[in-house]
């Protein structure tokens, strides 16, 4: 075996990371047994690895969703049915609505609903306008049952809903009046972050707060909504 | 219209992968930037991008490294926006605040803070590699794919990162290390 290579920290790292194949591993172990200095270095690297891991072991999504176990079980059950169906849905879109409904008959599989969550995460005025355009277009569709639409803002997109900062306050109020099927949602996480930085924020009337934008998007996707990024 | 693509159906498989890996994505983002709010933004942005580009994901099995690759792109974009024109691989982040309250003063929290601070001081490229390997236990090949760098570069960055950490944390690394036992005992 190549002594120089064996002695390198890269090689020792590969050893402690389990990246060596069985034969290499055997040779490395033999070398470590024969050379206490080498063993000491491997040991130190191992400790560094442990320290890194432990330093972040407690890091979790702040206030992240903690769904009830039952919801998880239901989701898993649905997953079992879902595979092919979901792929088909993704590939072919809405033409398959009836078919999937039929296939998943009685199995509670989520079926595309036509509802849409529109996500605004940028403070860019064109993105905001595009989101509202899309929401209005969808909400005024002439079908029997117009889809439900959620306009969801987080990050710098939150400005859309902030009194004094929103360039579209009046338009939002009008949409709310004319289209009860459109809902405006602000990300609670973003609001928390602003509060922590002592930024005072007052939301427009009729804007509701959800725990986090990501939670909301995932929830709606599970329920068969469509996702659209403005 | 490009946006219509997003209307072709919710990629629920992907949503599931996101849910299952959300804490991991957040933890890695946090270990890169050491800023909870920014980590949250990065994860949300990454997920949003992933959902928009779900069609690029040919194989659901590769969803996890793919998500981390997108997260890395978002993080790199952020750095680029913040420091236009600097070589981000050489940027030193030692000045990052490490606001871990830990009133309970137990040395465990102090050690964790010291380790985080040492990691924050690593050049970005090394920090990314060492956190992906040590926190999330990705293989070298996966890390290479996530960061779009050769495996050899993964190994050399990892080795340099660990060398620097060993220097910075010499007390914790040498000898009996009761602190490490303490850390271990807690998880």
């Amino acid at each position: 075996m190549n002594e120089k290579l064996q002695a390198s920290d890269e090689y020792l790292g590969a050893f402690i990371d389990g990246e060596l194949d069985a034969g290499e591993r055997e040779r490395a172990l033999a070398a470590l047994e024969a050379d206490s200095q080498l063993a000491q270095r491997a040991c130190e690297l191992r400790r560094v690895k442990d320290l890194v891991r432990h330093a972040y072991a407690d890091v979790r999504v702040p206030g992240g969703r903690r769904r009830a176990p039952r919801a998880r079980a239901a989701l898993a059950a649905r997953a079992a049915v879902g595979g092919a169906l979901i792929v088909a849905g993704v590939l072919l879109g809405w033409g398959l609505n009836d078919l999937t409904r039929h296939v998943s008959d009685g199995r509670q599989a989520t079926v595309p609903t036509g509802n849409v969550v529109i996500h605004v995460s940028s403070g860019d005025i064109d993105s905001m306008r595009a989101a509202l355009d899309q929401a209005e277009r969808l909400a005024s569709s002439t079908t029997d049952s117009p889809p439900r639409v959620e306009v969801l803002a987080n990050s710098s997109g939150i400005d859309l809903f902030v009194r004094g900062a929103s360039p579209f306050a009046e338009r939002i109020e009008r949409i709310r009046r004319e289209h009860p099927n459109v809902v405006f949602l602000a990300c609670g996480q973003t609001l928390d972050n602003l509060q922590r930085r002592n930024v005072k924020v007052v939301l427009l009337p009729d804007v509701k707060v959800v725990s986090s934008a990501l939670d909301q998007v995932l929830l709606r996707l599970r329920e068969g909504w469509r996702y659209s990024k403005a | 219209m490009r946006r219509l693509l997003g209307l072709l159906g919710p990629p629920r498989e992907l949503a599931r992968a996101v849910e299952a890996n959300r804490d991991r994505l957040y933890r890695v983002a946090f270990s890169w930037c050491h800023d909870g709010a920014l980590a949250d933004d990065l994860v949300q942005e990454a997920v949003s991008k992933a959902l928009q580009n779900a069609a690029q994901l040919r194989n659901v099995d590769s969803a996890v490294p793919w998500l981390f690759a997108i997260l890395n792109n978002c993080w790199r974009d952020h750095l680029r926006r913040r420091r236009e024109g600097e070589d981000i691989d050489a940027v030193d982040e030692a000045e990052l605040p490490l606001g871990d309250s830990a009133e309970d003063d137990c040395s465990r929290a102090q050690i964790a803070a010291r380790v985080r601070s040492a990691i924050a001081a690593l050049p970005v490229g090394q920090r990314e590699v060492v956190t992906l390997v040590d926190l999330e236990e990705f293989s070298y090949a996966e890390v290479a794919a996530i960061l779009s760098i050769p495996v050899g570069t993964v190994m050399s960055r990892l080795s340099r990162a660990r060398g620097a950490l060993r220097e910075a944390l010499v007390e914790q690394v040498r000898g009996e290390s009761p602190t490490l036992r303490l850390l271990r005992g807690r998880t």
Side-chain angles (χ1 to χ4, degrees):
Chain A
M1 120 154 268
N2 184 336
E3 288 297 325
K4 212 170 142 197
L5 183 64
Q6 181 190 324
S8 81
D9 277 351
E10 278 184 27
Y11 182 85
L12 286 177
F15 171 72
I16 65 164
D17 292 327
E19 291 276 340
L20 299 181
D21 63 35
E24 287 277 332
R25 201 172 165 77
E26 282 300 308
R27 282 196 291 276
L29 279 168
L32 289 170
E33 230 165 277
D35 182 342
S36 64
Q37 261 189 328
L38 196 65
Q40 171 70 18
R41 274 171 54 207
C43 199
E44 288 179 9
L45 284 181
R46 176 73 225 182
R47 283 202 177 132
V48 168
K49 187 181 172 79
D50 285 344
L51 282 167
V52 172
R53 208 170 50 224
H54 287 293
Y56 298 91
D58 293 343
V59 176
R60 296 277 181 285
V61 176
R65 89 283 91 122
R66 295 286 173 253
R67 278 185 295 119
R70 260 187 91 210
R72 268 184 199 288
L75 193 64
R78 254 182 271 149
V81 191
L85 208 143
I86 286 162
V87 173
V90 169
L91 291 178
L92 299 177
W94 305 112
L96 280 182
N97 258 5
D98 288 342
L99 178 60
T100 53
R101 219 170 252 137
H102 175 71
V103 170
S104 63
D105 187 28
R107 301 294 289 275
Q108 273 200 322
T110 29
V111 204
T113 59
N115 299 335
V116 182
V117 53
I118 302 168
H119 181 195
V120 188
S121 64
S122 147
D124 169 44
I125 192 163
D126 291 334
S127 301
M128 293 178 177
R129 186 181 295 116
L132 297 179
D133 287 349
Q134 194 189 0
E136 268 196 294
R137 205 166 47 240
L138 286 162
S140 31
S141 70
T142 49
T143 54
D144 291 344
S145 56
R148 288 168 63 196
V149 177
E150 287 179 352
V151 180
L152 172 67
N154 76 324
S155 198
S156 33
I158 204 85
D159 282 357
L160 180 59
F161 297 150
V162 173
R163 188 185 289 168
S166 173
F168 297 108
E170 281 167 27
R171 186 172 172 196
I172 287 171
E173 201 191 323
R174 181 178 56 74
I175 294 176
R176 274 298 289 162
R177 244 185 359 251
E178 292 174 5
H179 304 288
N181 51 328
V182 178
V183 174
F184 296 100
L185 302 174
C187 169
Q189 208 80 59
T190 302
L191 296 174
D192 285 351
N193 290 337
L194 290 172
Q195 198 169 32
R196 230 171 285 139
R197 276 180 259 151
N198 290 320
V199 181
K200 285 237 183 305
V201 162
V202 180
L203 295 177
L204 299 173
D206 290 326
V207 173
K208 295 197 183 96
V209 178
V210 293
S211 65
S212 89
L214 184 48
D215 280 334
Q216 188 67 15
V217 167
L218 294 175
L219 170 74
R220 290 317 189 192
L221 286 177
R222 279 202 305 278
E223 294 174 349
W225 289 46
R226 293 175 275 163
Y227 173 81
S228 176
K229 179 74 183 286
Chain B
M1 195 160 92
R2 192 166 48 94
R3 234 168 249 138
L4 268 178
L5 275 179
L7 298 180
L8 282 179
R12 261 158 284 172
E13 290 277 14
L14 185 58
R16 258 196 295 279
V18 169
E19 283 192 277
N21 289 281
R22 192 150 157 223
D23 277 331
R24 298 180 72 194
L25 288 163
Y26 179 80
R27 184 164 50 226
V28 163
F30 182 85
S31 74
W32 289 345
C33 67
H34 296 94
D35 172 341
L38 176 58
D40 208 46
D41 277 354
L42 290 172
V43 171
Q44 302 229 18
E45 194 187 332
V47 170
S48 170
K49 285 216 167 99
L51 292 172
Q52 289 172 80
N53 296 307
Q56 289 172 6
L57 182 65
R58 297 261 171 264
N59 180 358
V60 178
D61 291 340
S62 53
V64 174
W66 185 69
L67 283 169
F68 278 90
I70 295 172
L71 180 70
N72 184 251
N73 289 338
C74 293
W75 159 239
R76 289 287 174 148
D77 286 346
H78 164 82
L79 290 178
R80 222 165 280 134
R81 280 195 302 270
R82 207 180 56 177
R83 322 185 172 202
E84 210 72 73
E86 285 184 51
D87 175 7
I88 50 182
D89 276 319
V91 166
D92 186 297
E93 303 262 334
E95 82 283 3
L96 278 171
L98 295 165
D100 204 345
S101 59
E103 261 304 308
D104 43 330
D105 173 309
C106 72
S107 49
R108 196 198 130 261
Q110 288 176 348
I111 293 159
R114 200 169 305 160
V115 176
R116 289 180 185 186
S117 160
I119 288 173
L122 294 172
V124 176
Q126 292 180 28
R127 198 185 319 154
E128 290 166 346
V129 170
V130 79
T131 51
L132 287 169
V133 171
D134 287 349
L135 297 188
E136 303 307 329
E137 303 194 317
F138 283 113
S139 71
Y140 293 179
E142 284 171 323
V143 174
I146 289 169
L147 301 178
S148 299
I149 53 178
V151 172
T153 307
V154 171
M155 293 179 72
S156 59
R157 284 187 188 173
L158 185 60
S159 175
R160 269 179 282 146
R162 284 181 176 153
L165 292 174
R166 184 169 51 189
E167 292 301 311
L169 303 166
V170 70
E171 287 169 49
Q172 282 74 39
V173 168
R174 289 261 159 81
E176 268 307 291
S177 184
T179 49
L180 189 61
R181 269 208 307 282
L182 189 70
L183 285 170
R184 272 215 192 93
R186 229 197 128 270
T187 42

